[in-house]
Amino acid sequence: MAKVILVEDDERLAQLTGQFLESNNFSVTLVHDGAEAVEKIVSLQPDIVILDIMLPNMDGFSICREIRNSYSGPVLFLTAKDSDFDHVRGLEIGADDYVIKPVEPYVLLARLNALLRRGGGPTASTDTIKLGQLEVDKAARKAYLAGDEVELTSYEFDLLWELANNAGQTLSREHIYKCVVGREYDGLDRSVDVRISRLRKKLGDNTDQPFRLVTVWGKGYLCSKSAWD
């Protein structure tokens, strides 16, 4: 039973959503106040977090930014704010998905399950990729650069693993969306581009002229084999 924290100030909506998720094998903790959400998420370490944006005392963007130092699980924004700016902003500060309200319950359920499948958890695999000073440990779901752990969200880890596992090969956006995001690329979604930008910053790449995670214009992205020494 997956543990989820739902942060939503509309108590009636939160109750209905929570009841639906509990009927589909989730253990749900409801939080209605933004200021309370950070403490709950950090202390309970749920399998997934659902965040509204417009909340009393602390908005969803601030909550997501605050928890990312101590919580690496998936975060899904469920909000009525549907501007591209808000969508991109949410991804840039560490969210894993962004769903616009109102949403059909089974669509929300599918998105949550896709995030949980991607996040995985401990597995029997002991696969480790080493590229110079970069080490990506699939079993532990951790990445290290020059011996120091790189703090990654679940989505960022999966993206890095896919790139590193295919180092030296150009991966198209279509491939990345299918293997990492779990759905077909619609030609418009910029979430992978945003995550690549965040990975570059965390991995010491040059954001203006990247040499580790390289953009191959018109084709996709490539993880260099030789740029990690």
Side-chain angles (χ1 to χ4, degrees):
M1 181 175 287
K3 297 183 295 181
V4 59
I5 289 181
L6 171 59
V7 187
E8 167 63 68
D9 64 332
D10 183 329
E11 296 190 17
R12 177 59 176 163
L13 176 60
Q15 183 181 35
L16 290 173
T17 304
Q19 289 173 348
F20 171 77
L21 293 177
E22 287 179 341
S23 71
N24 284 276
N25 209 36
F26 282 81
S27 172
V28 181
T29 298
L30 301 180
V31 180
H32 306 300
D33 181 84
E36 180 187 354
V38 173
E39 185 275 330
K40 285 283 189 182
I41 294 167
V42 172
S43 63
L44 295 179
Q45 292 292 310
D47 296 300
I48 195 165
V49 173
I50 305 174
L51 270 180
D52 191 8
I53 292 178
M54 303 301 293
L55 295 162
N57 298 315
M58 181 180 285
D59 64 71
F61 292 135
S62 300
I63 293 168
C64 187
R65 188 182 299 109
E66 185 76 16
I67 65 174
R68 272 318 186 193
N69 290 327
S70 49
Y71 174 74
S72 60
V75 173
L76 179 145
F77 274 122
L78 178 61
T79 175
K81 294 175 71 67
D82 62 353
S83 75
D84 290 341
F85 173 80
D86 289 317
H87 191 165
V88 171
R89 183 183 176 194
L91 298 176
E92 285 179 337
I93 62 177
D96 296 275
D97 205 350
Y98 193 106
V99 178
I100 306 301
K101 294 189 290 189
V103 59
E104 289 293 331
Y106 283 100
V107 173
L108 174 62
L109 181 64
R111 300 288 276 270
L112 293 174
N113 284 330
L115 288 175
L116 290 170
R117 286 195 301 271
R118 197 176 69 216
T123 69
S125 172
T126 57
D127 290 340
T128 300
I129 298 170
K130 293 184 179 180
L131 299 170
Q133 296 188 73
L134 175 68
E135 180 178 339
V136 189
D137 185 335
K138 187 176 183 180
R141 295 187 62 78
K142 293 182 182 294
Y144 304 88
L145 185 60
D148 295 325
E149 184 177 350
V150 182
E151 295 294 335
L152 301 175
T153 66
S154 177
Y155 189 126
E156 290 166 352
F157 178 86
D158 290 329
L159 180 54
L160 177 59
W161 174 266
E162 189 66 21
L163 288 164
N165 196 40
N166 294 277
Q169 302 178 47
T170 299
L171 300 185
S172 67
R173 284 180 176 82
E174 289 78 8
H175 173 92
I176 292 172
Y177 271 84
K178 187 173 181 179
C179 293
V180 178
V181 182
R183 58 179 185 265
E184 297 294 329
Y185 179 51
D186 63 7
L188 299 173
D189 193 333
R190 293 183 55 203
S191 60
V192 166
D193 302 329
V194 173
R195 275 8 183 289
I196 290 284
S197 178
R198 287 174 56 84
L199 276 176
R200 284 171 174 156
K201 292 176 182 178
K202 293 184 177 185
L203 295 170
D205 205 351
N206 186 317
T207 54
D208 294 323
Q209 294 183 312
F211 59 96
R212 288 178 165 170
L213 302 180
V214 180
T215 300
V216 182
W217 295 107
K219 294 186 177 180
Y221 294 102
L222 178 148
C223 175
S224 172
K225 286 185 175 182
S226 58
W228 302 95
D229 295 325

